Amino acid sequence: MNTLAKIILCSLLSASFLPIGVATAFTGTEAYDLTVSGNLNSTSCKVILPDVVDFGHINIDSLSLSSSETVNGENTQIYNIQFESCPESQQAEVSVSGIADSADETVLANAETEETAASNIAISFWDTASHKDTKIDLNSGTSSIYQIGVAAVGDVTRGSIHLKASLVRPESIPATAGHIAAVARFKITYL
């Protein structure tokens, strides 16, 4: 119960014990101190990330299903998000969004529209932080928590997040060869 509520309650209780016809009034001014405290976190982290993940030429027979528990091999590329000048204790979450595949909404659709587009192909994203690949579902807003301000190099704190991008088949039918293109958005939330 806050101080004002206590004062009102005490006033009401004491007034109920007064004889009828007797009133009390408070006059004057009172001053109270308010102590303010807290911590300011720096959001001046510099983010360095590649603009493009190029899979090059992939053997169509090496594609896993998007529902697979793990991904590896030539159809997977490591995607590093690097951070500089973050406080040593800085943590962050990374979520991925984009146009979902119609057969599996947890993966990024191939947005190539030309007649040379590959079919039954999508891109999945994987968290490698715990030394075990964990799929990051597209548009879910969820992610692991990463420690990004860890290694001091001179006066600069550096950290990184290592993700995997993998070409997958969203359906069990075979994929057809062709071009792939898609855009994913990575959202970094500082904690």
Side-chain angles (χ1 to χ4, degrees), residues 97-164:
S97 61
I99 298 172
D101 187 86
S102 61
D104 181 349
E105 293 184 352
T106 67
V107 295
L108 186 66
N110 180 11
E112 179 65 62
T113 57
E114 299 296 321
E115 61 184 55
T116 58
S119 66
N120 193 35
I121 192 128
I123 299 98
S124 62
F125 295 94
W126 299 78
D127 171 10
T128 64
S130 62
H131 303 290
K132 177 185 175 203
D133 295 340
T134 304
K135 187 174 176 186
I136 301 172
D137 290 342
L138 190 72
N139 300 324
S140 67
T142 60
S143 168
S144 295
I145 295 176
Y146 303 93
Q147 185 69 41
I148 60 171
V150 290
V153 178
D155 292 336
V156 179
T157 304
R158 294 192 174 147
S160 61
I161 297 173
H162 308 289
L163 304 175
K164 286 183 180 179

Coordinates of all heavy atoms in Angstrom, one line a residue, residues 97-164:
S97 N 12.8 -13.2 -40.4 CA 11.5 -13.1 -41.0 C 11.6 -13.0 -42.5 O 12.7 -12.7 -43.0 CB 10.7 -11.9 -40.5 OG 11.4 -10.7 -40.7
G98 N 10.6 -13.3 -43.2 CA 10.6 -13.2 -44.7 C 9.3 -13.9 -45.2 O 8.4 -14.2 -44.5
I99 N 9.3 -14.1 -46.5 CA 8.1 -14.8 -47.2 C 8.3 -16.3 -47.0 O 9.3 -16.9 -47.4 CB 8.1 -14.4 -48.6 CG1 7.8 -12.9 -48.8 CG2 6.9 -15.2 -49.3 CD1 7.9 -12.4 -50.2
A100 N 7.3 -16.9 -46.3 CA 7.4 -18.3 -45.9 C 7.0 -19.1 -47.1 O 6.2 -18.7 -48.0 CB 6.5 -18.6 -44.8
D101 N 7.6 -20.3 -47.2 CA 7.2 -21.3 -48.2 C 5.8 -21.8 -48.0 O 5.4 -22.0 -46.8 CB 8.2 -22.5 -48.2 CG 8.0 -23.4 -49.4 OD1 8.5 -23.1 -50.4 OD2 7.2 -24.4 -49.2
S102 N 5.0 -22.0 -49.0 CA 3.6 -22.4 -48.8 C 3.5 -23.8 -48.3 O 2.5 -24.1 -47.7 CB 2.8 -22.2 -50.2 OG 3.4 -23.1 -51.2
A103 N 4.4 -24.7 -48.5 CA 4.4 -26.1 -48.1 C 4.9 -26.2 -46.6 O 4.5 -27.1 -45.9 CB 5.1 -27.0 -49.0
D104 N 5.8 -25.3 -46.2 CA 6.4 -25.4 -44.9 C 6.6 -23.9 -44.5 O 7.6 -23.3 -44.9 CB 7.7 -26.2 -44.9 CG 8.3 -26.3 -43.5 OD1 7.9 -25.6 -42.6 OD2 9.3 -27.1 -43.3
E105 N 5.8 -23.4 -43.6 CA 5.9 -22.0 -43.2 C 7.0 -21.7 -42.3 O 7.2 -20.5 -41.9 CB 4.6 -21.5 -42.6 CG 3.4 -21.5 -43.6 CD 2.1 -21.0 -43.1 OE1 2.0 -20.7 -41.9 OE2 1.2 -20.8 -43.9
T106 N 7.8 -22.7 -41.9 CA 9.0 -22.4 -41.0 C 10.2 -22.1 -41.8 O 11.3 -21.8 -41.2 CB 9.3 -23.6 -40.1 OG1 9.7 -24.7 -40.9 CG2 8.0 -24.0 -39.3
V107 N 10.2 -22.1 -43.2 CA 11.3 -21.9 -44.0 C 11.0 -20.8 -45.0 O 9.9 -20.5 -45.4 CB 11.8 -23.2 -44.7 CG1 12.3 -24.2 -43.7 CG2 10.7 -23.8 -45.6
L108 N 12.1 -20.1 -45.5 CA 12.0 -19.0 -46.5 C 11.8 -19.6 -47.9 O 12.5 -20.4 -48.3 CB 13.3 -18.2 -46.4 CG 13.4 -16.9 -47.2 CD1 12.4 -15.9 -46.6 CD2 14.8 -16.4 -47.1
A109 N 10.8 -19.0 -48.5 CA 10.4 -19.5 -49.9 C 11.4 -19.0 -50.9 O 12.1 -17.9 -50.8 CB 9.0 -18.9 -50.3
N110 N 11.6 -19.8 -52.0 CA 12.4 -19.3 -53.1 C 11.5 -18.3 -53.8 O 10.4 -18.6 -54.3 CB 12.7 -20.5 -54.0 CG 13.5 -20.1 -55.3 OD1 14.0 -19.0 -55.3 ND2 13.6 -21.0 -56.2
A111 N 12.0 -17.1 -53.9 CA 11.2 -16.0 -54.5 C 11.5 -15.7 -55.9 O 11.0 -14.8 -56.5 CB 11.4 -14.7 -53.7
E112 N 12.4 -16.5 -56.5 CA 12.8 -16.4 -57.9 C 11.5 -16.6 -58.8 O 10.8 -17.6 -58.6 CB 13.8 -17.4 -58.3 CG 14.3 -17.4 -59.7 CD 15.0 -16.1 -60.1 OE1 16.0 -15.8 -59.5 OE2 14.4 -15.3 -61.0
T113 N 11.2 -15.7 -59.7 CA 10.0 -15.7 -60.5 C 10.3 -16.0 -61.9 O 9.3 -16.3 -62.7 CB 9.3 -14.4 -60.4 OG1 10.1 -13.3 -60.8 CG2 8.8 -14.1 -58.9
E114 N 11.5 -16.1 -62.4 CA 11.8 -16.4 -63.8 C 11.5 -17.8 -64.1 O 11.4 -18.7 -63.2 CB 13.3 -16.1 -64.1 CG 13.7 -14.7 -63.8 CD 13.0 -13.7 -64.8 OE1 12.8 -14.0 -66.0 OE2 12.6 -12.6 -64.3
E115 N 11.3 -18.1 -65.3 CA 11.0 -19.5 -65.7 C 12.1 -20.5 -65.5 O 12.0 -21.7 -65.5 CB 10.6 -19.6 -67.2 CG 11.6 -19.1 -68.2 CD 11.1 -19.1 -69.6 OE1 10.1 -18.5 -69.9 OE2 11.7 -19.8 -70.4
T116 N 13.3 -19.9 -65.1 CA 14.5 -20.8 -64.8 C 14.6 -21.0 -63.3 O 15.6 -21.5 -62.8 CB 15.8 -20.1 -65.3 OG1 15.9 -18.8 -64.6 CG2 15.8 -19.9 -66.8
A117 N 13.5 -20.7 -62.5 CA 13.5 -20.9 -61.1 C 13.5 -22.3 -60.7 O 12.8 -23.1 -61.3 CB 12.3 -20.1 -60.5
A118 N 14.2 -22.7 -59.6 CA 14.2 -24.0 -59.1 C 12.8 -24.2 -58.4 O 12.3 -23.2 -57.9 CB 15.3 -24.2 -58.1
S119 N 12.3 -25.4 -58.3 CA 11.1 -25.6 -57.6 C 11.3 -26.6 -56.4 O 12.3 -27.3 -56.4 CB 10.0 -26.1 -58.5 OG 10.4 -27.4 -59.0
N120 N 10.4 -26.5 -55.5 CA 10.4 -27.3 -54.3 C 11.8 -27.1 -53.6 O 12.4 -28.1 -53.2 CB 10.2 -28.8 -54.5 CG 9.9 -29.6 -53.2 OD1 9.4 -29.0 -52.3 ND2 10.4 -30.8 -53.2
I121 N 12.1 -25.9 -53.4 CA 13.4 -25.5 -52.7 C 13.1 -24.3 -51.8 O 12.3 -23.5 -52.2 CB 14.5 -25.2 -53.7 CG1 15.8 -25.2 -53.0 CG2 14.3 -24.0 -54.5 CD1 16.9 -26.0 -53.6
A122 N 13.7 -24.3 -50.7 CA 13.5 -23.2 -49.7 C 14.8 -23.1 -48.9 O 15.7 -23.9 -49.1 CB 12.3 -23.5 -48.8
I123 N 14.8 -22.1 -48.0 CA 16.0 -21.9 -47.2 C 15.6 -21.9 -45.7 O 14.6 -21.3 -45.3 CB 16.6 -20.5 -47.5 CG1 17.1 -20.4 -48.9 CG2 17.8 -20.2 -46.6 CD1 16.1 -19.7 -49.8
S124 N 16.3 -22.8 -45.0 CA 16.1 -22.9 -43.5 C 17.3 -22.2 -42.8 O 18.4 -22.1 -43.4 CB 15.9 -24.3 -43.1 OG 17.1 -25.0 -43.3
F125 N 17.0 -21.7 -41.6 CA 18.1 -21.1 -40.8 C 18.2 -21.8 -39.5 O 17.3 -22.3 -38.9 CB 17.7 -19.6 -40.5 CG 17.6 -18.8 -41.8 CD1 16.4 -18.6 -42.4 CD2 18.8 -18.2 -42.3 CE1 16.4 -17.9 -43.6 CE2 18.7 -17.5 -43.5 CZ 17.5 -17.3 -44.1
W126 N 19.5 -21.9 -39.1 CA 19.9 -22.8 -37.9 C 20.8 -22.0 -37.0 O 21.7 -21.3 -37.4 CB 20.6 -24.0 -38.4 CG 19.7 -24.9 -39.3 CD1 19.4 -24.6 -40.6 CD2 19.0 -26.0 -39.0 NE1 18.6 -25.6 -41.1 CE2 18.3 -26.4 -40.1 CE3 18.8 -26.7 -37.8 CZ2 17.4 -27.6 -40.1 CZ3 18.0 -27.8 -37.8 CH2 17.3 -28.2 -38.9
D127 N 20.5 -22.2 -35.7 CA 21.3 -21.6 -34.6 C 22.4 -22.6 -34.3 O 22.1 -23.8 -34.1 CB 20.4 -21.4 -33.4 CG 21.2 -21.0 -32.2 OD1 22.4 -20.7 -32.3 OD2 20.5 -20.9 -31.1
T128 N 23.6 -22.2 -34.3 CA 24.7 -23.1 -33.9 C 25.4 -22.8 -32.6 O 26.4 -23.3 -32.3 CB 25.8 -23.1 -35.0 OG1 26.4 -21.8 -35.0 CG2 25.3 -23.4 -36.4
A129 N 24.7 -22.0 -31.8 CA 25.3 -21.5 -30.5 C 25.7 -22.6 -29.5 O 26.7 -22.5 -28.8 CB 24.4 -20.5 -29.9
S130 N 24.8 -23.6 -29.4 CA 25.0 -24.6 -28.4 C 25.8 -25.8 -28.9 O 25.7 -26.9 -28.3 CB 23.7 -25.0 -27.8 OG 22.9 -25.6 -28.9
H131 N 26.5 -25.7 -30.0 CA 27.2 -26.8 -30.7 C 26.3 -27.9 -31.1 O 26.6 -29.0 -31.3 CB 28.3 -27.3 -29.8 CG 29.3 -26.3 -29.4 ND1 30.2 -25.7 -30.3 CD2 29.5 -25.6 -28.2 CE1 30.9 -24.8 -29.7 NE2 30.5 -24.7 -28.4
K132 N 25.0 -27.5 -31.2 CA 24.0 -28.4 -31.7 C 23.1 -27.6 -32.6 O 22.6 -26.5 -32.1 CB 23.2 -29.1 -30.6 CG 22.1 -30.0 -31.1 CD 21.2 -30.5 -29.9 CE 20.1 -31.3 -30.5 NZ 19.0 -31.3 -29.6
D133 N 22.9 -28.0 -33.8 CA 22.0 -27.2 -34.7 C 20.6 -27.2 -34.2 O 20.0 -28.2 -34.0 CB 22.1 -27.7 -36.1 CG 23.5 -27.6 -36.7 OD1 24.3 -26.8 -36.3 OD2 23.7 -28.3 -37.7
T134 N 20.1 -26.0 -34.1 CA 18.7 -25.8 -33.7 C 18.0 -24.9 -34.7 O 18.5 -23.8 -35.0 CB 18.5 -25.1 -32.3 OG1 19.3 -25.9 -31.3 CG2 17.1 -25.0 -31.9
K135 N 16.9 -25.4 -35.3 CA 16.3 -24.7 -36.4 C 15.6 -23.4 -35.8 O 15.0 -23.4 -34.8 CB 15.2 -25.6 -37.1 CG 14.6 -25.0 -38.3 CD 13.7 -26.0 -38.9 CE 13.0 -25.4 -40.1 NZ 12.0 -26.4 -40.6
I136 N 15.8 -22.3 -36.5 CA 15.1 -21.1 -36.2 C 13.9 -21.0 -37.2 O 14.1 -20.8 -38.4 CB 16.1 -19.8 -36.4 CG1 17.3 -20.0 -35.6 CG2 15.3 -18.5 -36.1 CD1 18.3 -18.9 -35.8
D137 N 12.7 -21.1 -36.6 CA 11.5 -21.1 -37.4 C 11.3 -19.6 -37.9 O 11.3 -18.7 -37.2 CB 10.3 -21.5 -36.7 CG 10.3 -23.0 -36.4 OD1 11.1 -23.7 -37.1 OD2 9.6 -23.5 -35.5
L138 N 11.1 -19.5 -39.2 CA 10.8 -18.2 -39.9 C 9.6 -17.6 -39.3 O 8.6 -18.2 -39.0 CB 10.7 -18.5 -41.4 CG 10.6 -17.2 -42.3 CD1 12.0 -16.6 -42.4 CD2 10.1 -17.6 -43.7
N139 N 9.6 -16.3 -39.1 CA 8.5 -15.4 -38.7 C 8.0 -15.8 -37.3 O 6.9 -15.4 -36.9 CB 7.4 -15.5 -39.7 CG 7.8 -14.9 -41.0 OD1 8.6 -14.0 -41.1 ND2 7.3 -15.5 -42.1
S140 N 8.7 -16.6 -36.5 CA 8.3 -17.0 -35.2 C 8.6 -15.9 -34.1 O 8.0 -15.9 -33.0 CB 8.9 -18.3 -34.8 OG 10.3 -18.2 -34.6
G141 N 9.6 -15.1 -34.4 CA 10.0 -14.1 -33.4 C 10.9 -14.7 -32.3 O 11.2 -14.0 -31.4
T142 N 11.2 -16.0 -32.4 CA 12.0 -16.6 -31.3 C 13.4 -16.9 -31.7 O 13.7 -17.0 -32.9 CB 11.3 -17.9 -30.8 OG1 11.3 -18.8 -31.9 CG2 9.9 -17.7 -30.3
S143 N 14.2 -16.9 -30.7 CA 15.6 -17.1 -31.0 C 16.3 -17.5 -29.7 O 15.7 -17.4 -28.6 CB 16.3 -15.9 -31.5 OG 17.7 -15.9 -31.5
S144 N 17.5 -18.0 -29.8 CA 18.3 -18.2 -28.6 C 18.9 -16.9 -28.1 O 18.8 -15.9 -28.8 CB 19.5 -19.1 -28.9 OG 19.1 -20.4 -29.3
I145 N 19.4 -16.8 -26.9 CA 20.0 -15.6 -26.3 C 21.5 -15.8 -26.5 O 22.1 -16.9 -26.2 CB 19.6 -15.4 -24.8 CG1 18.1 -15.2 -24.7 CG2 20.5 -14.3 -24.2 CD1 17.7 -15.1 -23.3
Y146 N 22.1 -14.8 -27.1 CA 23.5 -14.9 -27.4 C 24.3 -13.8 -26.6 O 23.8 -12.7 -26.4 CB 23.8 -14.5 -28.9 CG 23.0 -15.4 -29.8 CD1 21.8 -15.1 -30.3 CD2 23.6 -16.6 -30.3 CE1 21.1 -15.9 -31.2 CE2 22.9 -17.4 -31.1 CZ 21.7 -17.1 -31.6 OH 21.0 -17.9 -32.5
Q147 N 25.5 -14.2 -26.1 CA 26.4 -13.3 -25.5 C 27.2 -12.7 -26.6 O 28.0 -13.4 -27.2 CB 27.3 -14.1 -24.5 CG 28.2 -13.2 -23.6 CD 27.4 -12.3 -22.7 OE1 26.4 -12.8 -22.1 NE2 27.8 -11.1 -22.5
I148 N 27.1 -11.4 -26.9 CA 27.7 -10.8 -28.0 C 28.9 -9.9 -27.6 O 29.7 -9.5 -28.5 CB 26.7 -10.0 -28.9 CG1 26.1 -8.9 -28.2 CG2 25.7 -11.0 -29.5 CD1 25.2 -8.0 -29.0
G149 N 29.0 -9.5 -26.4 CA 30.2 -8.7 -26.0 C 31.1 -9.5 -25.2 O 31.2 -9.3 -24.0
V150 N 31.9 -10.3 -25.8 CA 32.7 -11.2 -25.0 C 34.2 -11.1 -25.1 O 34.9 -11.0 -24.1 CB 32.4 -12.7 -25.3 CG1 31.0 -13.0 -24.8 CG2 32.4 -13.0 -26.8
A151 N 34.8 -11.0 -26.3 CA 36.2 -11.0 -26.5 C 36.8 -9.6 -26.7 O 36.5 -9.0 -27.7 CB 36.6 -11.9 -27.6
A152 N 37.6 -9.1 -25.7 CA 38.2 -7.8 -25.9 C 39.5 -7.9 -26.7 O 40.3 -8.7 -26.4 CB 38.5 -7.2 -24.5
V153 N 39.5 -7.1 -27.8 CA 40.7 -7.1 -28.6 C 41.2 -5.6 -28.6 O 40.6 -4.7 -29.2 CB 40.4 -7.5 -30.1 CG1 41.6 -7.4 -31.0 CG2 39.8 -8.9 -30.1
G154 N 42.2 -5.4 -27.8 CA 42.6 -4.0 -27.6 C 41.5 -3.3 -26.8 O 41.1 -3.8 -25.7
D155 N 41.0 -2.2 -27.3 CA 40.0 -1.4 -26.6 C 38.6 -1.8 -27.2 O 37.6 -1.2 -26.8 CB 40.2 0.1 -26.8 CG 41.4 0.6 -26.0 OD1 41.8 -0.1 -25.0 OD2 42.0 1.6 -26.3
V156 N 38.5 -2.7 -28.1 CA 37.3 -3.0 -28.8 C 36.8 -4.4 -28.3 O 37.5 -5.4 -28.3 CB 37.4 -3.0 -30.3 CG1 36.1 -3.4 -31.0 CG2 37.9 -1.7 -30.8
T157 N 35.5 -4.5 -27.9 CA 34.9 -5.7 -27.5 C 34.3 -6.3 -28.8 O 33.5 -5.6 -29.5 CB 33.8 -5.5 -26.5 OG1 34.4 -4.8 -25.4 CG2 33.2 -6.8 -26.0
R158 N 34.5 -7.6 -29.0 CA 34.0 -8.2 -30.2 C 33.3 -9.5 -29.9 O 33.7 -10.2 -29.0 CB 35.1 -8.6 -31.2 CG 35.8 -7.3 -31.7 CD 36.7 -7.6 -32.9 NE 37.1 -6.3 -33.5 CZ 38.3 -6.2 -34.0 NH1 39.2 -7.2 -34.1 NH2 38.6 -5.0 -34.5
G159 N 32.2 -9.8 -30.6 CA 31.5 -11.0 -30.4 C 30.8 -11.4 -31.7 O 30.8 -10.6 -32.6
S160 N 30.3 -12.6 -31.8 CA 29.7 -12.9 -33.1 C 28.6 -14.0 -32.8 O 28.6 -14.7 -31.8 CB 30.7 -13.4 -34.1 OG 31.4 -14.6 -33.6
I161 N 27.7 -14.1 -33.7 CA 26.7 -15.1 -33.8 C 26.9 -15.9 -35.1 O 27.0 -15.3 -36.1 CB 25.3 -14.5 -33.7 CG1 25.1 -13.8 -32.4 CG2 24.2 -15.6 -33.9 CD1 23.8 -13.0 -32.3
H162 N 27.0 -17.2 -35.0 CA 27.1 -18.0 -36.1 C 25.8 -18.8 -36.4 O 25.4 -19.6 -35.6 CB 28.3 -19.1 -35.9 CG 29.5 -18.4 -35.4 ND1 30.3 -17.7 -36.2 CD2 30.1 -18.4 -34.2 CE1 31.4 -17.2 -35.6 NE2 31.3 -17.7 -34.3
L163 N 25.3 -18.5 -37.6 CA 24.1 -19.1 -38.0 C 24.4 -19.9 -39.3 O 25.3 -19.7 -39.9 CB 23.0 -18.1 -38.3 CG 22.6 -17.2 -37.2 CD1 21.6 -16.1 -37.7 CD2 22.0 -17.9 -36.0
K164 N 23.5 -20.9 -39.6 CA 23.6 -21.6 -40.8 C 22.4 -21.3 -41.7 O 21.3 -21.2 -41.1 CB 23.6 -23.1 -40.6 CG 24.9 -23.7 -40.0 CD 24.9 -25.2 -39.9 CE 26.1 -25.7 -39.3 NZ 26.1 -27.2 -39.2

